[in-house]
Structure formats: C-alpha cells, structure tokens
Amino acid sequence: MPYGNSSNDPAPAQSRRHIFGNDAEQYDTARPGYPRQLLDDVLEFSALAAGEPALEVGAGTGKATLAFARSGVPVTCVEPDVRMARVLRRRCAELPDGSVGIEVADFEAWHPTRQYGLLYCAQAWHWVDPDVRWARAQAALSPGGAIALFWNHWVLQCGELADRLTAAHTRLGIEIPQDTLLDPRPRPARRGPESRQWREMTATGFVDPDHRLYTSVHERSTSALIGLLTSYSGYRALPPEPRERVFDRMARIVDEHGGRAHVKVVTSLFLGRTRAATA
C-alpha cells in the first residue's frame, strides 16, 4: 500500500495541528511570509482605532504576527503548541513591551477577556474545529469587527521539474500529500462565493464578505525547496524512512535541474465582519 493520504495515515488530519512543533525552528526557516499589500488591505478593511489590539488565532512562529506588530497593531496571539510559541516569543523579543501577548491554548477552549476589532488567522484556520470556530470568532469580535483568514498556496513554475518530482513519488510508492507544492489540484480550488470559506462565513452571520488574491514568485535553492516540503504536515506525517528516501530523490532531481526552482505563491485572503450593533 502506498504511503500517504489513506485511511491508515499515521497522523490523521485532526491530530496534525501539533505536528509542526516537532521542528518549530525548521518550520520558521522554511515558510515564507505574506505580502505587504495583504497586510495593508486587512488593516484598511478592519479600520482599527489607534492602539486597538488584534487577535491572532494559531500564530505559529510569528510569520504574520511580526508584520502586524511592526505596523503598530498590538497583537494577542493564541497558539496551541508550546514549542511553536517558544519560537514566537523569541522572534517577538525585539519588539517593544506590550506589542505582543502570547497565550498557549486551543482557540476552541480559550476565553478572551475582551472583544477585538480584528481577528486574523494565517495558514491555520483549517486546523480549528469547524463545529465551533465561527461561533468562537463571533464571540471574540466586537460588533462590526473584522475577520481575516489567509493562506499561501504554492506551485512550481516549471512543469517539467514538477513532473519529474511527481514521478519520483510514484516510483517510491508515496502519495503526494494534499495541499502541497506538487498537489495537482488547483489552489485555491474555489473563489469568491463558490469557496467553502465564503459560504461558511456568510452562513454563520458574517457580512461584507470579500476574497482577494496576491501573487508572487520566489526562487529557491535545492535545500530551501526541500525545506519547504519538509514543513508540510503531510510529509511530516510520513514514516521517517520513506520520507527521507523521497526527499533525497527530489534533492537529486532539483540539483540536476540546476539547483534552483521558481515557486509561484498565490496568497488567498478572505475578509468579513460581524454585524454592527443596532441603535
């Protein structure tokens, strides 16, 4: 049986949200940040008052946190993994006191002591329990408060290289993990009102929905490309031996390709608001 996305997957999806903490430093090094224009758009949409804090769900190692905090927005971070939070604290140490508060907790069980004008979540909303996440967001936001959910989606620009890396998985009997660099499905798969995030958001009482896309291209060396693949939960969930075999084979292929690869990053942002208070 191939290794990968089967019913016998060694780390089912619901258990994977803590898998990134197994090597939080590697995750922090490998993952890219988010476009400056996205940050500006979120802040414009939320229209936070001066000094008004934002709430970040699943802050990880701070890929989005530092960008918001450096823009003058105080951030309360809720991060379920103590190992990721440790890296987050180190990265935020350079910021002025009071810029970032960190709570190590599952968002589903965390109880805010105030309401926020902005709740944002970078690359992590799918890890939050779908049965409660929207209600929990509503409870954490003030009337008229904004929600911003965003993800990076990656694709190799060179089709020949993608085909060779895909073939390496086939020869080794390893399924390509979903939502990764080599996943052949389009990402984002649906846009605007056709997307699941939009439908769920509006069905749970959020208004003024919007969906925006941002595109950038990054050059990665062989080691940096393998590092990105290593940071995916689907690869982390593979047993060590087949994982190392496929990484070794892919590294050789990229080296043969010239040791460089261009990765297109499409960042998908969903925006919405809670209903404003009525007079």
Side-chain angles (χ1 to χ4, degrees):
M1 172 181 253
Y3 293 103
N5 305 313
S6 70
S7 58
N8 294 322
D9 192 319
Q14 277 303 100
S15 70
R16 286 190 193 168
R17 69 194 220 170
H18 291 276
I19 204 168
F20 304 103
N22 292 346
D23 194 345
E25 294 284 358
Q26 189 278 332
Y27 178 94
D28 186 58
T29 299
R31 289 295 180 104
Y34 302 96
R36 175 69 208 194
Q37 186 61 53
L38 179 149
L39 175 69
D40 293 342
D41 288 351
V42 170
L43 294 178
E44 180 182 15
F45 184 86
S46 62
L48 293 172
E52 185 178 6
L55 174 63
E56 181 175 8
V57 176
T61 61
K63 287 294 181 180
T65 313
L66 270 72
F68 279 90
R70 287 170 177 158
S71 295
V73 178
V75 182
T76 299
C77 298
V78 180
E79 167 52 45
D81 192 291
V82 66
R83 300 161 298 179
M84 301 288 275
R86 190 177 300 121
V87 177
L88 174 63
R89 285 195 178 92
R90 176 177 57 76
R91 296 195 70 212
C92 292
E94 66 186 68
L95 300 172
D97 290 345
S99 298
V100 176
I102 301 171
E103 302 273 354
V104 179
D106 293 324
F107 179 61
E108 296 91 332
W110 180 73
H111 296 285
T113 58
R114 57 160 298 155
Q115 289 185 310
Y116 294 83
L118 168 65
L119 180 155
Y120 71 90
C121 183
Q123 210 76 28
W125 193 244
H126 55 292
W127 298 118
V128 184
D129 185 348
D131 290 336
V132 301
R133 59 191 176 195
W134 298 102
R136 298 289 294 165
Q138 288 272 1
L141 286 167
S142 57
I147 186 170
L149 311 174
F150 46 100
W151 292 265
N152 282 330
H153 307 274
W154 304 267
V155 63
L156 280 175
Q157 284 206 300
C158 178
E160 179 187 359
L161 178 59
D163 289 344
R164 291 188 65 192
L165 296 176
T166 298
H169 287 72
T170 302
R171 285 194 296 271
L172 293 171
I174 295 172
E175 294 182 30
I176 293 173
Q178 294 181 359
D179 302 316
T180 61
L181 186 69
L182 297 172
D183 186 345
R185 297 176 305 167
R187 300 180 302 280
R190 300 286 185 271
R191 300 183 181 183
E194 297 181 351
S195 63
R196 174 174 53 81
Q197 292 85 356
W198 181 296
R199 296 196 309 270
E200 290 184 358
M201 185 186 301
T202 54
T204 51
F206 285 92
V207 297
D208 300 335
D210 196 1
H211 183 201
R212 306 179 190 183
L213 298 174
Y214 310 81
T215 301
S216 57
V217 177
H218 306 259
E219 185 179 72
R220 292 236 169 185
S221 65
T222 297
S223 60
L225 186 69
I226 299 303
L228 176 60
L229 292 165
T230 302
S231 75
Y232 289 123
S233 66
Y235 283 107
R236 287 174 181 257
L238 289 172
E241 185 177 348
R243 182 175 63 236
E244 292 310 312
R245 283 205 309 269
V246 74
F247 283 163
D248 180 68
R249 181 59 188 146
M250 285 195 289
R252 282 184 279 146
I253 290 170
V254 179
D255 281 343
E256 293 167 4
H257 186 73
R260 315 294 296 180
H262 288 90
V263 178
K264 183 171 77 171
V265 180
V266 178
T267 307
S268 184
L269 167 67
F270 289 90
L271 296 165
R273 304 182 202 278
T274 59
R275 295 185 183 277
T278 55

